[in-house]
Amino acid sequence: MSAETYRDAWGIPHLRADTAAGLARAQGRVTARDRAWQLEVERHRAQGTSASFLGPGALSWDRLARRARLADTARRCFTALEAKDPETAAWVRAYVDGVNEGLAETPEDGPAPEFARTGLVPGRWEPWTPLGVWLATHLLFAGFPAKLWREHITAHLGPEAVALFAADGPGTAGSNGWLVGGERTTTGHALIAGDPHRYIEDPGVYQQIHLSCPEFDVVGLAVPGVPGIAHFGHTGTVAWAITNAMADYQDLYRERLRRTGAGVEALGPDGTWHRAARHTETVEVAGEPGERDSAEVVEVEVIETDRGPVIAGGPEGLDDGTPAALSLRHPPRVTADLGFGALLPLLRARTVADVDRALDAWTEPVNVVQAADTEGGLLHRVAGRVPVRPEANRLRPVPAWEPGHEWTGWHTPPRAGLTDGVAVMANQRGLSTSLGVEFAPPHRADRIAALLAGREHWSAADLPAIHTDTHLASAGPLLDHLAALTAPPAPVALTPEAAALRARLLAWDRRM
């Protein structure tokens, strides 16, 4: 199988191969050349071995990765993928082969400086490693950390304080995207814009790439360590973009555990004790920089109940003395399906209908997706698996020993049309409201909708004006509060300095 790599003036790789598998191998190889250190870090994060070279600061993650059984879940999902979709499994294997080939090559300018600083040598990827990378990337991307936060607030400030710290507050950021139907464009064809707001990262979580073979020709953003183009892609006749749906699809259960002569048991909702899976693993922890020879080995107890892996606490309770443990239940662990069956069909998509069918196999993270094709097809939907369960599960950890907290099926992903020829996604309440608890505040979505309404017809050249808009809509609540300070019926007396500052802020045009 032959493959060609061309880099444009910006260094973006353009890959061409005779087959989809050959192209996946080329993608893995070029990713290893460009992002070797990133790939090595992500592989270790998926395995829970990052402290072996990053030191004590990475130990907390490694503990979580081991206790959450990320690597084991990735193996299970890949085994299931081989049985259900052998073509995609072989395609993933080809990507891994390319990664291993690329990591084995010595770059012309030498290895990345991080390898020299840590003394690390790239390790070998397994066929399941890309699935582990995907799991590790998105484990904290969903709802369970928010449940812990709400529990913490409730314990210290009371339940009425939870709303004060909700993500819907004015300080919350997120990603944007918008879709403009053909009736609102200068060409009669739809326009779609993706605007992912990521933290400034080096290297970035996305990789610009062009993948071409006789079956498909796609440009977009890949996730280093994962084959294909998942979140933002254009196949020539159809394009798609995503934002986080802010859905809640992870549950935490408070577990009552006890040790027995045979191991560990968990109290179930039927009132009886059930055997829990248990074993121990060891995590190697490198010494601080300059003290690499002072490595230590930390033992981690791994327990899994009928709900899921125990990620905090144990038979002896939580670190705060609470006589309980917390188990995590999330779709990939329950179903042995990570949604990789959607990746090849997305690359082969020619129409919105093709994208729609591909996304029926999506699992996590749960996204709002917009797509458009050259035939006039439009799509605005949620993609991913969200379990049906009681409302209490969505808000905070629930007692595993009480009945009524089981999963009973899956939500049907919501869909929506356009309003006045446009659709906006910005993590706000809307299309996925029924699937989540907290969302981003609406000011970004409202601002984009207002800008789109300000012009009758849009061209692709016009859209950067929205991407680069500097109006700070989130300033509104604070400025409205300042404006009301001196108004009846309870005016606030201000010092001359405070009054001057208030006047200056109120005169601000709200542009950054």
Side-chain angles (χ1 to χ4, degrees), residues 370-392:
Q370 293 176 343
D373 63 33
T374 54
E375 297 178 4
L378 302 173
L379 180 68
H380 185 44
R381 65 165 288 184
V382 173
R385 287 195 169 195
V386 179
V388 176
R389 74 280 208 213
E391 182 67 17

Side-chain angles (χ1 to χ4, degrees), residues 118-413:
T118 60
L120 191 66
V121 176
R124 184 168 184 79
W125 279 47
E126 300 296 333
W128 56 265
T129 304
L131 287 77
V133 168
W134 193 262
L135 275 169
T137 299
H138 297 109
L139 181 69
L140 301 180
F141 210 66
F144 93 79
K147 290 176 175 143
L148 292 174
W149 177 232
R150 291 188 207 107
E151 192 83 344
H152 180 75
I153 295 169
T154 300
H156 290 273
L157 301 175
E160 66 281 353
V162 171
L164 298 175
F165 296 88
D168 303 59
T172 307
S175 296
N176 305 324
W178 56 94
L179 175 62
V180 184
E183 71 274 19
R184 293 286 306 280
T185 70
T186 57
T187 62
H189 292 289
L191 293 171
I192 186 169
D195 186 18
H197 290 191
R198 299 291 309 193
Y199 292 109
I200 296 176
E201 299 162 298
D202 185 14
V205 72
Y206 286 124
Q207 169 196 31
Q208 295 183 77
I209 202 162
H210 178 193
L211 305 175
S212 179
C213 68
E215 288 187 68
F216 50 79
D217 191 330
V218 189
V219 295
L221 303 183
V223 174
V226 178
I229 292 172
H231 286 163
F232 302 89
H234 196 316
T235 73
T237 57
V238 66
W240 67 92
I242 63 98
T243 62
N244 190 314
M246 306 295 284
D248 177 67
Y249 53 89
Q250 297 174 328
D251 279 357
L252 288 174
Y253 290 83
R254 287 195 172 275
E255 299 276 1
R256 287 181 178 168
L257 306 177
R258 69 180 185 185
R259 295 194 187 277
T260 69
V264 174
E265 292 181 338
L267 184 60
D270 59 358
T272 62
W273 294 87
H274 298 260
R275 180 76 176 272
R278 179 205 170 275
H279 69 277
T280 59
E281 299 182 8
T282 56
V283 177
E284 182 180 333
V285 184
E288 297 288 356
E291 303 176 1
R292 292 302 180 191
D293 294 335
S294 60
E296 63 172 321
V297 174
V298 175
E299 192 171 87
V300 178
E301 183 177 34
V302 180
I303 300 172
E304 184 165 9
T305 73
D306 292 339
R307 271 66 58 193
V310 173
I311 61 168
E316 290 71 40
L318 295 165
D319 292 339
D320 62 4
T322 304
L326 292 173
S327 63
L328 172 67
R329 188 171 181 83
H330 62 132
R333 187 69 184 170
V334 172
T335 65
D337 183 3
L338 199 51
F340 269 44
L343 298 180
L344 265 176
L346 277 175
L347 297 178
R348 292 168 172 156
R350 294 292 180 269
T351 66
V352 154
D354 295 335
V355 172
D356 196 13
R357 280 191 295 271
L359 293 176
D360 285 340
W362 193 265
T363 296
E364 74 162 27
V366 179
N367 294 322
V368 175
V369 184
Q370 293 176 343
D373 63 33
T374 54
E375 297 178 4
L378 302 173
L379 180 68
H380 185 44
R381 65 165 288 184
V382 173
R385 287 195 169 195
V386 179
V388 176
R389 74 280 208 213
E391 182 67 17
N393 290 42
R394 290 155 44 108
L395 299 176
R396 58 184 61 89
V398 293
W401 57 87
E402 292 182 2
H405 297 292
E406 299 81 7
W407 290 10
T408 57
W410 304 98
H411 283 279
T412 300

Side-chain angles (χ1 to χ4, degrees), residues 71-90:
D72 184 70
T73 302
R75 292 188 193 96
R76 286 188 183 186
C77 290
F78 186 78
T79 298
L81 185 67
E82 284 188 302
K84 181 180 178 180
D85 187 354
E87 182 192 21
T88 296

Side-chain angles (χ1 to χ4, degrees), residues 25-26 29 32 94 96-106 124:
R25 191 167 187 161
R29 190 163 56 247
V96 168
D97 289 342
V99 168
N100 286 324
E101 290 170 4
L103 292 176
E105 298 172 359
T106 302
R124 184 168 184 79

